[in-house]
């Protein structure tokens, strides 16, 4: 690895000021602007990328040339970055979107994408000789910085709003940081932290203004670009690929700002052929960016003084300079700012866990809720290539989602133990009661992936016995034999198709009363609709119903 990356220089975003990158000033010495970017010698890097990357470990430091640390001796790394890009198969099938990909940032060392930021920021602090620092956080920055500070030998003062779940706070304390709870909003917590740092003369992390934060987040873009071709092929005459959409829940907005810069660098080096559209998702009760954009404001943001959301991780009322930057990008290039309610976020959280096995914290689920909304509005097209940042892992905030009834209790007889049956038998008896599958549902579907999705949706409601058949004739025989309470019927099947199965069922006096819900990928002709007539209970189009729609239909017919 290079000791000295591609001659980084510091450049003002507002005027033409430039200097070699060493110790960044807090503002532009020429115009006083607060936004300085690092630029590199892209020509020399483009001569060695992507070949030079081939033997390197898959973590964010494989992009060493474009990360501004001067000396590898200061590098603090726990293998952050290099997270998998997963295809959301079941979700995609349900929504009718073949190209939803999940950048699984839960898999960072402390469980969120802040680990990228921590690795670069703390390494750079070490390079500057800093041994004590102040940070304000809604949780994840404090956790991540604390872990990396432990390795760097930095004493960290973590200022947290008291709204942060106590489990997260305890983790910060566990790493040995000083935890300061501020009983107020995050914005006020930031002010208190700034005052404390100024008074004590301690280095303070500068959030979005922090160069390391933005520079680290661009590695998300590098990785997506490198990973996407395995699913959808490379770009036009480029080795790497840009998605149509990058979706993320935002508070300060440094993720999308960094991702945008990452793609600009890749574009400049000829590694991708275009820029993505950014979708920035916020909570309806704390959506300063969304509100300001809707009002047509581009150059400044109207802060939300009193955030109303349970999603504390992204409850930033005043996002600062990221907003004008992102607003201009979205206006010029396309993209979206969208708000979702907490309820929509909790629903998305549940859907992602149930369908694709991804349990995430609410802040991450919010991005998926935004995806659902933008698809419904037609802003995102169903055939576009979509990457959602799954930005952080589950934390006990899901208390709000699950209520008290997330476990089932087994009660063993206690009063007269000598009369009770042997423990194991009693235990099994209670389990049987719990697992009373009162209704049976037959799935007649030839496509195994579609059958899996239907099965999965039913499995998340414990009390269905599920029967499956892969073609019409086998399915009809199964229904005649098992007499299910309801049939889910695909129309397009080899051999005997769904229409024929339906006619056979209706002609059989024993089975004609079994409700049938048709699930189809086919646009029906009017003749076909007529043929179904009033013989079915409901017609559901693949890609156009949610798990709840389907369960609603089934519940109506089986209680
Ligand atoms: C910080 C954070 C966000 C928001 O990130 P920004 O790009 O800085 O707005 C989203 N999700 C999680 C889990 C986070 O920790
Ligand atoms: Zn300037």
């Amino acid at each position: 690895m290079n000791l000295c990356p591609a001659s980084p220089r510091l450049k003002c975003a507002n005027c033409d000021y430039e200097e070699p990158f060493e110790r960044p000033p807090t503002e532009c010495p020429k115009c006083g602007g607060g936004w300085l970017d690092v630029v590199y010698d892209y020509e020399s890097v483009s001569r060695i990328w992507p070949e030079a990357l081939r033997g390197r470990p898959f973590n964010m430091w494989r992009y060493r040339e474009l990360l501004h640390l001067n000396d590898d001796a200061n590098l603090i790394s726990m293998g952050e970055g290099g997270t998998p890009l997963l295809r959301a198969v079941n979700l995609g099938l349900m929504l009718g979107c073949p190209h939803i990909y999940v950048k699984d940032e839960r898999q960072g060392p402390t469980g969120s994408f802040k680990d990228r930021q921590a690795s670069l920021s703390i390494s750079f602090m070490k390079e500057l000789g800093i041994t004590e620092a102040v940070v304000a956080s809604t949780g994840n920055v404090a956790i991540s910085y604390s872990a990396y500070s432990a390795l760097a030998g930095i004493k960290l003062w973590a200022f947290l709003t008291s709204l942060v779940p106590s489990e997260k706070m305890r983790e910060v304390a566990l790493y040995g940081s000083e935890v300061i709870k501020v009983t107020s909003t995050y914005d006020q917590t930031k002010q208190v932290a700034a005052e404390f740092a100024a008074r004590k003369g301690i280095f303070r992390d500068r959030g979005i203004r922090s160069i390391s934060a933005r520079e680290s987040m661009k590695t998300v873009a590098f990785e997506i670009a490198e990973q996407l071709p395995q699913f959808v092929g490379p770009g036009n005459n480029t080795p790497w690929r840009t998605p149509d959409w990058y979706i993320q829940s935002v508070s300060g907005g440094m993720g999308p700002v960094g991702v945008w810069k990452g793609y600009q660098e890749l574009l400049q080096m000829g590694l991708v052929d275009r820029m993505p559209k950014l979708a920035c998702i916020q909570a309806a009760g704390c959506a300063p960016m969304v509100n300001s954009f809707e009002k047509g404001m581009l150059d400044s943001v109207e802060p939300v003084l009193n955030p109303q959301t349970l999603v504390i991780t992204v409850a930033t009322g005043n996002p600062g300079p990221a907003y004008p930057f992102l607003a201009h990008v979205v206006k010029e290039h396309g993209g979206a700012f969208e708000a979702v309610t907490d309820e929509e976020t909790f629903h998305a959280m549940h859907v992602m866990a149930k369908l694709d096995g991804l349990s995430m914290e609410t802040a991450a689920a919010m991005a998926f809720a935004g995806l659902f909304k933008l698809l419904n509005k037609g802003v995102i097209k169903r055939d576009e290539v979509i990457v959602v940042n799954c930005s952080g892992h589950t934390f006990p905030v899901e208390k709000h989602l699950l209520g008290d009834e997330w476990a089932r209790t087994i009660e063993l007889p206690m009063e007269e133990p000598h009369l009770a049956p042997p423990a194991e038998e009693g235990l099994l008896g209670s389990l049987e009661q719990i697992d009373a599958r009162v209704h049976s549902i037959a799935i007649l579907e030839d496509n195994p992936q579609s059958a899996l999705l239907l099965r999965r949706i039913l499995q998340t409601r414990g009390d269905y016995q599920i029967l499956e058949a892969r073609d019409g004739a086998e399915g009809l025989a199964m229904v005649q034999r098992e007499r299910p309470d309801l049939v889910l019927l695909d129309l397009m099947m080899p051999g005997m198709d769904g229409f024929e199965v339906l006619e056979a069922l209706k002609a059989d006096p024993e089975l004609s009363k079994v409700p049938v819900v048709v699930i189809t990928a086919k646009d029906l002709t009017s003749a076909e609709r007529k043929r179904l007539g009033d013989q079915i209970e409901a017609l559901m189009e693949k890609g156009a119903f949610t798990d709840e729609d389907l369960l609603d239909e089934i519940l109506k017919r089986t209680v």
Side-chain angles (χ1 to χ4, degrees):
M1 259 189 204
N2 284 5
L3 255 191
C4 196
S7 353
R9 296 180 64 74
L10 208 54
K11 206 175 165 196
C12 177
N14 188 45
C15 72
D16 60 359
Y17 182 78
E18 238 188 278
E19 67 175 41
F21 183 88
E22 270 158 29
R23 181 176 276 265
T26 49
E27 55 189 37
C28 170
K30 191 169 164 190
C31 75
W35 190 284
L36 297 162
D37 271 320
V38 193
V39 294
Y40 303 81
D41 176 2
Y42 298 108
E43 223 179 278
S44 76
V45 179
S46 68
R47 277 198 295 273
I48 60 169
W49 283 20
E51 285 72 24
L53 304 180
R54 234 157 244 159
R56 298 182 188 172
F58 196 58
N59 65 54
M60 79 173 215
W61 289 98
R62 71 197 261 100
Y63 310 108
R64 179 69 178 95
E65 286 85 359
L66 296 189
L67 294 171
H68 58 71
L69 195 71
N70 276 315
D71 188 344
D72 277 3
N74 298 315
L75 206 161
I76 309 277
S77 174
M78 293 197 270
E80 55 292 318
T83 57
L85 186 70
L86 307 170
R87 183 154 167 235
V89 177
N90 287 328
L91 179 75
L93 203 61
M94 182 172 94
L95 297 176
C97 304
H99 296 299
I100 301 177
Y101 302 94
V102 178
K103 186 62 176 156
D104 192 2
E105 291 292 299
R106 301 173 310 159
Q107 299 195 35
T110 75
S112 85
F113 78 144
K114 297 299 194 299
D115 289 328
R116 297 177 190 265
Q117 183 185 339
S119 180
L120 185 55
S121 299
I122 302 288
S123 297
F124 190 56
M125 282 184 206
K126 191 176 177 207
E127 192 155 275
L128 295 178
I130 289 162
T131 55
E132 193 167 352
V134 171
V135 70
S137 170
T138 54
N140 290 345
V141 161
I143 288 173
S144 195
Y145 275 42
S146 293
Y148 285 80
S149 292
L151 296 174
I154 291 174
K155 178 183 173 66
L156 195 72
W157 297 82
F159 286 71
L160 296 151
T161 136
S162 52
L163 300 169
V164 171
S166 55
E167 290 80 359
K168 285 197 182 191
M169 292 207 197
R170 278 200 294 271
E171 187 176 350
V172 177
L174 182 67
Y175 290 118
S177 296
E178 299 283 350
V179 178
I180 318 289
K181 249 197 248 188
V182 182
T183 52
S184 183
T185 62
Y186 174 52
D187 295 298
Q188 276 167 313
T189 304
K190 268 193 291 197
Q191 281 177 17
V192 175
E195 266 171 49
F196 174 82
R199 202 170 303 165
K200 294 260 185 182
I202 303 175
F203 178 87
R204 177 172 62 94
D205 186 74
R206 294 171 71 246
I208 178 61
R209 289 171 198 263
S210 150
I211 286 160
S212 300
R214 280 177 273 141
E215 288 300 293
S216 65
M217 290 308 178
K218 76 189 185 188
T219 61
V220 174
F222 295 169
E223 288 175 19
I224 293 170
E226 210 181 337
Q227 289 169 310
L228 257 186
Q230 76 190 72
F231 297 105
V232 285
N236 267 331
N237 297 317
T238 62
W240 292 357
R241 172 81 180 238
T242 305
D244 295 310
W245 287 91
Y246 170 79
I247 306 181
Q248 198 206 292
S249 66
V250 296
S251 52
M254 93 197 96
V257 169
V259 163
W260 184 259
K261 181 170 193 253
Y263 273 104
Q264 277 183 322
E265 293 183 343
L266 296 180
L267 192 62
Q268 187 165 349
M269 294 188 294
L271 289 165
V272 298
D273 58 1
R274 66 213 156 87
M275 299 298 289
K277 280 173 280 191
L278 304 177
C280 304
I281 315 298
Q282 296 199 297
C286 184
M289 294 199 197
V290 182
N291 300 342
S292 300
F293 194 75
E294 274 168 8
K295 284 187 186 162
M297 295 163 61
L298 289 179
D299 292 319
S300 61
V301 75
E302 194 175 275
V304 171
L305 298 177
N306 185 14
Q308 297 292 326
T309 172
L310 292 168
V311 189
I312 301 305
T313 299
V314 288
T316 299
N318 187 356
Y323 171 71
F325 182 93
L326 291 169
H328 281 275
V329 165
V330 169
K331 180 152 186 293
E332 296 302 317
H333 182 75
F337 288 95
E338 187 61 65
V340 295
T341 64
D342 286 2
E343 216 179 345
E344 289 167 323
T345 292
F346 290 147
H347 176 246
M349 182 176 178
H350 219 169
V351 166
M352 292 316 297
K354 287 194 294 185
L355 293 192
D356 283 291
L358 299 170
S359 166
M360 61 191 76
E361 72 169 283
T362 49
M366 182 180 283
F368 289 91
L371 166 66
F372 301 165
K373 202 156 198 178
L374 292 169
L375 280 170
N376 279 338
K377 285 187 168 177
V379 175
I380 296 181
K381 306 284 178 289
R382 289 182 193 259
D383 58 352
E384 289 188 294
V385 175
I386 303 158
V387 174
V388 186
N389 187 332
C390 183
S391 46
H393 211 298
T394 335
F395 280 93
V397 280
E398 82 266 4
K399 271 185 291 214
H400 302 298
L401 164 65
L402 296 173
D404 294 329
E405 304 198 346
W406 49 273
R408 305 197 200 203
T409 312
I410 295 174
E411 281 178 26
L412 291 173
M414 297 270 286
E415 310 86 88
E416 294 177 275
H418 61 283
L419 292 180
E424 269 141 86
E425 207 174 296
L427 189 69
L428 289 177
S430 346
L431 275 176
E432 246 153 55
Q433 261 183 1
I434 281 170
D435 198 27
R437 307 200 168 183
V438 285
H439 294 292
S440 62
I441 312 264
I443 301 174
L444 277 61
E445 165 68 77
D446 63 314
N447 179 323
Q449 194 60 51
S450 302
L452 184 148
L453 174 64
L454 295 173
R455 187 196 321 146
R456 185 65 199 132
I457 291 173
L458 296 176
Q459 284 170 340
T460 60
R461 266 195 51 94
D463 42 7
Y464 293 117
Q465 188 194 350
I466 301 160
L467 311 163
E468 291 183 51
R470 288 283 178 272
D471 67 48
E474 185 197 329
L476 181 61
M478 182 180 80
V479 173
Q480 285 163 340
R481 193 174 60 238
E482 306 284 344
R483 316 205 162 226
D485 297 297
L486 184 139
V487 174
L488 294 179
L489 180 65
D490 180 27
L491 288 179
M492 309 280 286
M493 289 187 289
M496 188 181 204
D497 69 15
F499 292 102
E500 292 169 284
V501 171
L502 185 63
E503 275 148 22
L505 288 178
K506 293 301 159 186
D508 181 337
E510 305 263 316
L511 295 174
S512 63
K513 294 275 182 303
V514 177
V516 176
V517 172
V518 164
I519 310 235
T520 180
K522 193 176 183 316
D523 270 334
L524 296 184
T525 63
S526 58
E528 285 169 333
R529 276 181 192 278
K530 214 163 150 195
R531 198 170 158 198
L532 292 176
D534 56 6
Q535 305 185 89
I536 62 166
E537 304 291 322
L539 177 70
M540 312 198 75
E541 266 173 65
K542 287 183 187 171
F545 64 86
T546 66
D547 55 326
E548 282 185 349
D549 296 339
L550 180 68
L551 287 172
D552 278 353
E553 285 300 333
I554 292 175
L555 277 172
K556 266 190 265 174
R557 327 282 169 200
T558 55
V559 283

